[in-house]
Amino acid sequence: MWPSIIAKCKEGGADVIETYIFWNGHEPARGKYYFEERFDLVRFVKLVAAEGLFLFLRIGPYACAEWNFGGFPVWLRDIPGIEFRTDNEPYKAEMQTFVTKIVDMMKDEKLYSWQGGPIILQQIENEYGNIQGKYGQAGKRYMQWAAQMALGLDTGIPWVMCRQTDAPEQILDTCNAFYCDGFKPNSNNKPTIWTEDWDGWYADWGGPLPHRPAEDSAFAVARFYQRGGSLQNYYMYFGGTNFARTAGGPLQITSYDYDAPVNEYGILRQPKWGHLKDLHAAIKLCEPALIAVDGSPQYVKLGSMQEAHVYSSGKVFRNGSMAGNAQICSAFLANIDEHKYVSVWIFGRSYNLPPWSVSILPDCENVAFNTARVGAQTSIFTFESGSPSHSSRLKPSILLPEVGWSYLSSTWWTSKETIGTWGGESFATQGILEHLNVTKDISDYLWYTTSINISDDDVAFWSSKGVSPVLTIDQIRDVARVFVNGKLAGSQVGHWVSLKQPVQLTKGLNELTLLSEIVGLQNYGAFLEKDGAGFRGQVKLTGFPNGDIDLTHSVWTYQVGLKGEFSMMYAPEKQGCAKWSGMQIDNIQSPFTWYKTMFDSPEGTEPVAIDLGSMGKGQAWVNGHLIGRYWSLVAPESGCPSSCNYPGAYTESKCQSNCGMPTQSWYHIPREWLHGSDNLLVLFEETGGDPSKISLEVHYTKTICSRISENYYPPLSAWSRLTGGHASLDTVAPELRLQCDDGHVISQIKFASYGTSSGGCQNFSIGKCHASSTLDLVSEACVGNNKCAISVSNDVFGDPCGGVVKDLAVEAECSSPSHTKEPRDEM
């Protein structure tokens, strides 16, 4: 996916690709390095260079990034005497070794800019200023050591420390936030850099999905450059998928879509991508003026909450017209009022500013772009059945009833997972051991098993009182499950929360099994090496006639992982060894069960997703690749507004969606992991689900809409085409632009009206004023093409109602080319 995503970044107006390096991906075992496949760093850097883009390499090596353990390898915490991210010799030695390894690789491959490569910036540490105070003076010494260590590597390019207000003079301190227009570095000798512009947010299992409006993202970026910003980076421009067990914690979902301009599947999210592309083009039109000013721009107060910043090669008079003025001049006009439209007077004329917006004037006269006026299309994503034919060469003896055509398969096999100890590396010891110390994070799962002897008196006591004994654990994270004599008694989910579970014990010896599950290791905060997992405090049984039974110091038998996991039941090459049987009706909704089926890939090239909404919680493998954890936890019913108003400061809870629905139902399967036919899907299901209702779907943009007013701005491309001076912009009509995904074409125009239409995308309706030729003209220009551009003017459609400002509103449908007519030229 890398080449196409990098190309979409460039097409969107990016100059630089910024990326983390994940230490645990590149050094999975101490001294054993891995730079293959998805971790082929050199190949990635060279692909960026091949697109003509620069690279900003954030080495860290702590990353956070909602990535498992913040990018730290778990083996690091086992080094004697180690403390992470402080003045600690064992940690500093390992950190220096890894950072040096990466720098040497880049030098050897000649990837630094002075060697002809794309790398222009690099980062040491990451948001350390947020937690430095927790380490006292040792934190200060560590920060200074990290800076000097990095500088000593002689990379020939600057180093960055983000959110580090006390960064040394030779290190660039930078901003990470939703807004950074008020940020200033700690020295006037340093450029103003925004390393993380949070254009969305991550999601947790059982939570809603965050969204940041395109208008507000554009406002934040325009304000940053208006007030002197040098470099700004979207976090994320493409977030993708945290495949396997790389998603961080606590409880972060497998998707890392982040509401980014390029979505998880590599498809453009519109209008965000297009609106930001237009913003970038407008800012770059101002570049001659931006670099003509050495110090601060000229500041002009335009109102109580309105202001202008003027970049010019000479003095500009507020009330003087710029028409015919030969000097280089660009201006940003801001209205930071959240509610009111305001007209402001500057350059001898009036400008109308929507609430919470910035207008960009590349020539200090004409508005090229306003952050609140979106000219980009809206795209509606769809998941559609890929209609794969069912692979059933190995039919089991009993088939389920044939399922609907949209479901993945009617032929499933099952295998039960062993509860508790299953052999392998199991061992017994006294006391409750910390989860990670036992598993080393080679599995999410750790079993704890002990025995309790129950007397006649205990049973009689419970019977007479009408009560049951209760198992209590002071603290658990992330999931704990309680089994009594092999049967599930109950579960608890949370981050260091208490567990109280009534249990049914019988006379004689009872086997008590606890299952501790990790759903992503903690990825942010101080003292990560001490966070751990599993259980803390006392483990007790209460409700006995002679008092509580403390199990904390009992003898427990430990078993790492699942039997099916370690026998690799998910691997194609192991299917001959695995014990599968045909799925019966009573296997549906069965907890701690493995399921498998075979399927064919959907036709075409669209990204593929699997809908696991009918399942509970577990993990899924396709052809041996772990596509990630799945979990059908439902978000709360409340907290999602019916509409999202862009004005006003954004927070991650402001514009949420998906309330009352599972946080994630669709999971990305890269086409590179699929064969044309006979693909193996294996699921481990913990809580019970119905695999017969799983579907395989292709993901693409089906519906595209746009509405452009005849008084919208000329297309930004017109600025570079025009040579006849400023006035000639007035002769260029606005354009409505539509574009389908790569490989798709516009197959149908579902609505088109030039006039006074009402409604929005998928809900347009014709108004009293309407040019009857609109549908034919738009169809002629667009159907059969991947993209089209139509001038919004009376010259094209005629004037259906004089003296009225008219819009062109269009809704189109995209599909694969085989269903459409031959393409025609654009108008």
Side-chain angles (χ1 to χ4, degrees), residues 727-740:
S728 55
L729 276 170
D730 297 334
T731 66
V732 181
E735 282 183 350
L736 182 145
R737 304 185 303 273
L738 296 173
Q739 183 171 1
C740 297

Side-chain angles (χ1 to χ4, degrees), residues 289-290 292-293 297-298 310-316 322 327-330 364:
L290 290 170
V293 176
Q298 185 177 337
V310 182
Y311 291 82
S312 176
S313 56
K315 178 71 175 174
V316 174
M322 295 302 296
Q327 71 187 50
I328 299 170
C329 185
S330 295
C364 287

Side-chain angles (χ1 to χ4, degrees), residues 23 59-62 72 83-89 91-100 103 122-129 132 137-155 157-162 164 166-172:
W23 190 353
I59 300 176
Y62 166 71
F72 283 132
E83 291 181 70
F84 293 2
R85 304 176 75 196
T86 187
D87 188 15
N88 173 269
E89 294 306 321
Y91 175 74
K92 292 192 297 183
E94 294 298 330
M95 174 176 166
Q96 183 167 356
T97 298
F98 181 75
V99 173
T100 303
V103 167
Q122 59 210 336
Q123 180 176 295
I124 194 72
E125 249 299 333
N126 187 64
E127 294 187 336
Y128 189 64
Q132 180 175 307
Q137 286 303 305
K140 180 80 169 179
R141 292 194 302 272
Y142 161 71
M143 182 275 295
Q144 292 170 337
W145 167 85
Q148 294 308 313
M149 181 270 289
L151 292 168
L153 295 173
D154 193 26
T155 61
I157 63 169
W159 284 92
V160 159
M161 281 183 162
C162 59
Q164 195 68 49
D166 59 348
E169 181 64 27
Q170 307 95 317
I171 302 287
L172 306 180

Side-chain angles (χ1 to χ4, degrees), residues 114-339:
W114 52 271
Q115 298 174 299
I119 303 174
I120 58 168
L121 285 168
Q122 59 210 336
Q123 180 176 295
I124 194 72
E125 249 299 333
N126 187 64
E127 294 187 336
Y128 189 64
N130 291 359
I131 63 163
Q132 180 175 307
K134 295 181 183 294
Y135 295 96
Q137 286 303 305
K140 180 80 169 179
R141 292 194 302 272
Y142 161 71
M143 182 275 295
Q144 292 170 337
W145 167 85
Q148 294 308 313
M149 181 270 289
L151 292 168
L153 295 173
D154 193 26
T155 61
I157 63 169
W159 284 92
V160 159
M161 281 183 162
C162 59
R163 286 200 162 189
Q164 195 68 49
T165 56
D166 59 348
E169 181 64 27
Q170 307 95 317
I171 302 287
L172 306 180
D173 59 308
T174 66
C175 184
N176 292 358
F178 289 118
Y179 305 91
C180 284
D181 55 287
F183 168 77
K184 295 298 177 191
N186 63 14
S187 165
N188 291 331
N189 298 322
K190 300 180 183 182
T192 303
I193 295 177
W194 189 359
T195 28
E196 292 187 17
D197 169 4
W198 303 328
D199 55 10
W201 203 247
Y202 59 87
D204 298 327
W205 297 112
L209 299 179
H211 297 283
R212 187 174 186 186
E215 298 95 328
D216 183 62
S217 268
F219 173 77
V221 176
R223 287 288 286 163
F224 177 72
Y225 286 108
Q226 173 177 6
R227 300 180 68 186
S230 297
L231 180 149
Q232 164 265 346
N233 169 71
Y234 293 102
Y235 188 100
M236 304 291 298
Y237 199 79
F238 168 75
T241 309
N242 286 335
F243 295 112
R245 297 168 50 248
T246 58
L251 304 173
Q252 280 149 13
I253 67 171
T254 297
S255 169
Y256 202 59
D257 180 89
Y258 214 86
D259 200 42
V262 180
N263 82 355
E264 176 181 4
Y265 298 85
I267 297 172
L268 304 184
R269 171 172 277 111
Q270 300 278 28
K272 185 174 277 189
W273 183 88
H275 191 49
L276 295 175
K277 177 183 179 178
D278 289 345
L279 167 68
H280 305 154
I283 291 171
K284 288 178 181 181
L285 289 172
C286 303
E287 187 169 351
L290 290 170
I291 63 173
V293 176
D294 258 351
S296 299
Q298 185 177 337
Y299 176 79
V300 181
K301 186 75 171 171
L302 298 174
S304 61
M305 303 185 78
Q306 296 77 37
E307 60 188 19
H309 291 72
V310 182
Y311 291 82
S312 176
S313 56
K315 178 71 175 174
V316 174
F317 295 97
R318 170 177 176 169
N319 293 320
S321 171
M322 295 302 296
N325 193 320
Q327 71 187 50
I328 299 170
C329 185
S330 295
F332 296 77
L333 315 183
N335 176 18
I336 57 175
D337 191 302
E338 299 177 23
H339 308 289

Side-chain angles (χ1 to χ4, degrees), residues 23-38:
W23 190 353
N24 53 12
H26 293 298
E27 194 177 1
R30 192 177 186 185
K32 307 290 185 188
Y33 295 100
Y34 184 76
F35 290 94
E36 307 299 323
E37 297 180 334
R38 292 190 296 125

Side-chain angles (χ1 to χ4, degrees), residues 344-471:
V344 298
W345 184 267
I346 190 172
F347 307 133
R349 59 185 289 187
S350 177
Y351 296 88
N352 189 38
L353 303 177
W356 199 256
S357 77
V358 177
S359 283
I360 299 176
L361 288 61
D363 58 1
C364 287
E365 182 181 0
N366 294 283
V367 177
F369 179 87
N370 177 275
T371 59
R373 297 188 69 189
V374 177
Q377 72 183 40
T378 295
S379 296
I380 310 295
F381 299 138
T382 188
F383 289 98
E384 284 194 354
S385 171
S387 303
S389 55
H390 304 315
S391 290
S392 49
R393 293 181 296 106
L394 305 172
K395 286 186 181 290
S397 54
I398 299 176
L399 286 175
L400 291 174
E402 186 69 29
V403 294
W405 68 271
S406 63
Y407 294 133
L408 179 67
S409 179
S410 59
T411 307
W412 287 87
W413 295 264
T414 69
S415 181
K416 291 296 291 182
E417 175 60 34
T418 303
I419 302 300
T421 308
W422 49 263
E425 304 281 324
S426 64
F427 64 94
T429 191
Q430 188 173 12
I432 297 292
L433 301 181
E434 192 274 325
H435 180 118
L436 277 181
N437 285 341
V438 181
T439 67
K440 309 303 182 188
D441 200 37
I442 63 171
S443 171
D444 282 351
Y445 305 97
L446 177 62
W447 301 94
Y448 301 65
T449 302
T450 193
S451 297
I452 305 104
N453 202 29
I454 299 301
S455 67
D456 287 333
D457 291 344
D458 296 329
V459 175
F461 175 76
W462 298 327
S463 179
S464 67
K465 299 289 186 181
V467 298
S468 296
V470 175
L471 175 75

